[in-house]
Amino acid sequence: SYDRGATVAGVVGVGRLITGMDRGLQGMCVNERRHLIVPPHLGYGSIGVAGLIPPDATLYFDVVMLDIWNKNDKLQITTLSKPERCNRTVENSDFVRYHYNGTLLDGTPFDSSYSKDSTYDTYVGTGWLIKGMDQGLLGMTLVWTGPRVPSPGTVIPPQASLVFSVLLVDFHNPKDGVFLEHLEVPESCNRRAVTGDFVRYHYNGTLMDGTLFDSSYSRNHTYNTYIGKGYIIPGMDQGLQGVCVGERRRVVVPPHLAYGENGAGNKIPGSAVLIFDVHIIDFHNPEDPVEIETVYRPEGCNVTTRDRDFVRYHYNCSLLDGTKLFSSHDYEKPQEVTLGTNKVIEGLNSGLLNMCAGERRVLIIPPHLGHGESGARGVPGSAVLRFEVELISMEEGVPEGYLFIWHGDPPANLYEQMDLNKDGEVPADEFSTFIKTQVAEGKGRLMPSSDPEKVIADMFRNQDRNQDGKITSEELKLKSDEDQEKIHEEL
């Protein structure tokens, strides 16, 4: 047979071979070698074969068995390894991606997907594969090996049994949706993310065989995006719906909800199922106000903070995941600010309004009322902030643009009273003495500040129109009168 370059194929035990060969092949294994001595009466007898085998010749055969099969044989499957976790197995109409090595029964290789550096991708049970592979792939989870599929081919001898060692890389069905696995859900979840929310999260992205293709951790930066608005792949748009702050979730995305048949870059193959393990850091909606939780409010609280009041307060500031950012307790005294003067972020200013001295609150401040998309030193962009605030004290403020206001009507002869020595002019010391007296007698109040002298000095400069160091009766004007004059000028 070696001279002819082709193996001999035949059915054993049905009289198609000489009797000696029929009996000599019985019981052989694949790759077994035998030496057969066939006497004439079990060979070609007294007739022989004209020109080849003389009559009454004893025949010697050196035989190597390459393949055996029977028409009653069915597909043989041997599972070499199988994952502990197997949520679903391959079914008809699934799309599978797998690697394989194909050999004949004697071990001769005839094909391999590994040599092509690409998986074999196809539908199962739709006639695109040889029948044996269509059957052999059914019921697989993610790792499997199975042999014995009779089939002809250009590099496969006729009547050959085939052995395929298969590694299932992933599979999905075109009808599959996103699969969610809730790995860790916080006990407290006041709100769940919905379409239109802006979410900040960390993630590891892997293929189903565990190959890592991307990670936000490697960049040391969260992935920040709106959900449900088409800014990310559809599977993640769906998979992030309903998350809680602090939740850990696994999102399994089939390719038709990810990067489809073409894949992405050189790390995500075409038709790949993607697994995202996500950790939600925080989320908000651009319409969100400041969330205010009153932790403690003193009894008999009648006076509360208003815009323009001067307040002293302690605070702790952190991210929603508990990361500490800033604290007033790190300094010698409380924080001080006049409300409504744009000296603190808008959300904190709002959260300090309508508070009593001694009151404690927790404020949840969305980024559009905090440090915005850019963040600040030590504050990530688009971060939701958590403030624990305690109001220590407050001083009633003055309207915007004012440095001093009267508690009642100002004196009718204001300039005469201000001119303490009655010399027709008011220098800085007389002005300061007069204003301090009004404050001490409760007739008016200064803009709250840690430095009243500076406020009074600013008031004097405003009234000293010609900056000659004294105020005349013509120069002295109440701010309400000045504002009225401006209105008339505009009209």
Side-chain angles (χ1 to χ4, degrees), residues 24-50:
L25 295 176
Q26 298 280 340
M28 286 190 72
C29 297
V30 174
N31 286 328
E32 181 178 346
R33 295 177 181 272
R34 282 186 179 179
H35 183 62
L36 307 179
I37 302 175
V38 182
H41 62 279
L42 297 178
Y44 293 95
S46 59
I47 299 175
V49 177

Side-chain angles (χ1 to χ4, degrees), residues 12 23 64 82 85 94 108 133 159 365 373 402 488:
V12 176
R23 297 178 182 178
V64 57
K82 185 175 183 178
R85 297 180 58 190
D94 282 347
T108 303
M133 282 300 284
Q159 307 296 340
I365 301 177
E373 294 181 10
Y402 286 75
H488 287 302

Side-chain angles (χ1 to χ4, degrees), residues 320-393:
L320 291 193
D321 66 356
T323 301
K324 302 297 182 183
L325 297 180
F326 314 107
S327 175
S328 62
H329 296 282
D330 295 334
Y331 303 96
E332 294 180 356
K333 59 181 182 178
Q335 187 81 1
E336 299 178 346
V337 71
T338 298
L339 297 177
T341 57
N342 298 319
K343 299 298 183 181
V344 294
I345 57 175
E346 184 178 350
L348 179 56
N349 191 93
S350 300
L352 290 170
L353 293 173
N354 302 312
M355 287 189 75
C356 298
E359 184 174 344
R360 295 194 301 273
R361 289 178 173 179
V362 173
L363 312 177
I364 305 299
I365 301 177
H368 54 275
L369 299 176
H371 293 284
E373 294 181 10
S374 301
R377 186 176 180 181
V379 180
S382 300
V384 179
L385 302 179
R386 183 181 191 273
F387 276 86
E388 298 172 350
V389 296
E390 179 183 5
L391 187 65
I392 304 302
S393 64

Side-chain angles (χ1 to χ4, degrees), residues 201-205 214-217 219 223 276-279:
Y201 61 95
H202 272 301
Y203 71 90
N204 284 320
D214 193 18
S215 173
S216 64
Y217 296 99
R219 295 186 291 274
Y223 192 83
F276 292 91
D277 286 329
V278 300
H279 179 206

Side-chain angles (χ1 to χ4, degrees), residues 214-352:
D214 193 18
S215 173
S216 64
Y217 296 99
S218 65
R219 295 186 291 274
N220 197 30
H221 193 285
T222 55
Y223 192 83
N224 308 333
T225 187
Y226 289 94
I227 63 169
K229 302 180 74 172
Y231 292 171
I232 49 180
I233 58 175
M236 285 300 283
D237 251 352
Q238 297 176 25
L240 292 173
Q241 296 283 337
V243 293
C244 298
V245 172
E247 180 176 349
R248 295 180 186 272
R249 176 180 287 192
R250 176 168 294 155
V251 184
V252 182
V253 183
H256 52 275
L257 297 177
Y259 295 99
E261 296 180 5
N262 297 325
N266 57 3
K267 291 189 175 180
I268 301 179
S271 301
V273 177
L274 306 182
I275 299 177
F276 292 91
D277 286 329
V278 300
H279 179 206
I280 307 302
I281 302 302
D282 63 33
F283 63 87
H284 73 281
N285 192 282
E287 303 298 325
D288 283 348
V290 176
E291 291 183 32
I292 299 176
E293 178 189 353
T294 300
V295 177
Y296 169 74
R297 189 178 180 93
E299 294 183 4
C301 174
N302 298 318
V303 179
T304 60
T305 54
R306 296 180 297 175
D307 211 26
R308 309 299 300 177
D309 284 352
F310 180 76
V311 298
R312 294 179 178 86
Y313 62 97
H314 271 303
Y315 73 90
N316 291 314
C317 176
S318 64
L319 302 179
L320 291 193
D321 66 356
T323 301
K324 302 297 182 183
L325 297 180
F326 314 107
S327 175
S328 62
H329 296 282
D330 295 334
Y331 303 96
E332 294 180 356
K333 59 181 182 178
Q335 187 81 1
E336 299 178 346
V337 71
T338 298
L339 297 177
T341 57
N342 298 319
K343 299 298 183 181
V344 294
I345 57 175
E346 184 178 350
L348 179 56
N349 191 93
S350 300
L352 290 170

Side-chain angles (χ1 to χ4, degrees), residues 195-206:
T195 292
D197 284 344
F198 189 87
V199 183
R200 296 195 315 125
Y201 61 95
H202 272 301
Y203 71 90
N204 284 320
T206 64

